[in-house]
Amino acid sequence: MPVAVITGGNKGLGLAQSRRFLDAGYKVVVIARSRGEVDRLSGDIRVVEHDLGGSASAEYLDAIHDEEGGLDVLVNNAGVHLKKPIWDVSADELEHVLNINIRAMFLACGRYIALQREAGGAIVNIASMGGIMALPSAAAYVTAKTGVVGLTRSVAVDAAQFGIRCNAVSPGFIDTDMTRAVLAKDPARRERIERRIPTHGFGSPEDVANAIFYLASEQAAYVNGVNLPVDGGYAIGF
């Protein structure tokens, strides 16, 4: 049974990713600080509790690799957002955003390659529209997600010699509980956003999960180093 490791796969977009891999017959190992909503899923899934923001390494992958006999897919999904203009961002806040969004991902990519260099595999990093375009009052987040895009390209080049591909997905406006809660306070903002999206609607968590699964699968065997927007065309919209 193939194995997929998904950071932050216990809730939100990550939960949809876990479900997608389970439906395809994968064993899923979720890396998160808690079980979250994992119990809603059925299939071969377990949670390894780990604080990605506080870790100085990604050696949690070693134990999983030894227990499972390999790691076919790594999805670096865990991330945090910070809605603040740059002049209000403290050094501690910046460190927190960078630690989770890029540092933990950097370390996980490196450790995954070290473990899988004889067997090959696939890495999918979750970037953002913030890695493609500027977002207002989100300088720390945009900085981190732009770094994810650059990291993905570098890993794609360096890891190809080991049969490991690395790609990224950049979700746009996705209809999640958190998004609905935020926009419920300003319905007019949702209408403005939807008018800007060429497809005139928000995406679903399953849209993102399907894109991730494609990039991790053999159907994308010749796809390497791309950043795939899943945003209905928002980033190129009007």
Side-chain angles (χ1 to χ4, degrees):
M1 179 182 292
V3 178
V5 175
I6 304 176
T7 68
N10 60 335
K11 59 184 178 180
L13 294 182
L15 193 72
Q17 295 161 31
S18 294
R19 181 183 292 112
R20 181 67 182 85
F21 280 90
L22 287 170
D23 289 347
Y26 278 72
K27 179 170 186 176
V28 173
V29 182
V30 170
I31 310 299
R33 288 184 296 176
S34 68
R35 291 190 62 80
E37 300 175 52
V38 163
D39 292 335
R40 293 172 50 189
L41 304 178
S42 59
D44 197 343
I45 183 170
R46 68 185 177 102
V47 177
V48 173
E49 294 190 11
H50 183 80
D51 182 3
L52 292 167
S55 177
S57 73
E59 291 184 358
Y60 58 87
L61 289 173
D62 290 57
I64 301 170
H65 179 271
D66 292 344
E67 291 164 7
E68 304 299 340
L71 305 173
D72 300 276
V73 175
L74 170 65
V75 181
N76 285 308
N77 165 74
V80 294
H81 193 276
L82 181 64
K83 184 72 172 177
K84 273 191 176 183
I86 190 170
W87 53 86
D88 285 338
V89 177
S90 70
D92 287 345
E93 288 173 325
L94 176 61
E95 183 177 15
H96 179 65
V97 171
L98 295 180
N99 274 351
I100 294 179
N101 287 336
I102 186 67
R103 182 173 177 271
M105 188 181 295
F106 185 104
L107 295 172
C109 286
R111 196 68 204 138
Y112 179 86
I113 295 165
L115 293 168
Q116 287 292 120
R117 64 174 63 198
E118 299 297 329
I123 300 170
V124 183
N125 296 326
I126 309 307
S128 163
M129 289 185 298
I132 301 171
M133 58 191 294
L135 302 176
S137 297
Y141 180 76
V142 168
T143 298
K145 290 302 186 178
T146 301
V148 170
V149 176
L151 171 65
T152 298
R153 292 171 178 161
S154 293
V155 171
V157 170
D158 289 345
Q161 62 185 304
F162 305 119
I164 297 172
R165 297 180 298 106
C166 184
N167 294 288
V169 168
S170 283
F173 287 97
I174 307 300
D175 196 18
T176 63
D177 291 342
M178 184 173 66
T179 301
R180 285 192 293 271
V182 171
L183 294 180
K185 303 172 185 176
D186 185 5
R189 184 184 174 206
R190 178 160 188 153
E191 293 176 6
R192 291 193 301 271
I193 293 170
E194 289 182 334
R195 285 197 299 269
R196 162 73 186 267
I197 301 171
T199 56
H200 300 299
F202 283 28
S204 70
E206 290 71 28
D207 290 326
V208 179
N210 286 335
I212 292 167
F213 184 81
Y214 161 70
L215 290 173
S217 75
E218 286 302 309
Q219 290 184 326
Y222 201 55
V223 181
N224 192 34
V226 306
N227 177 30
L228 176 61
V230 183
D231 65 353
Y234 182 90
I236 59 168
F238 43 86

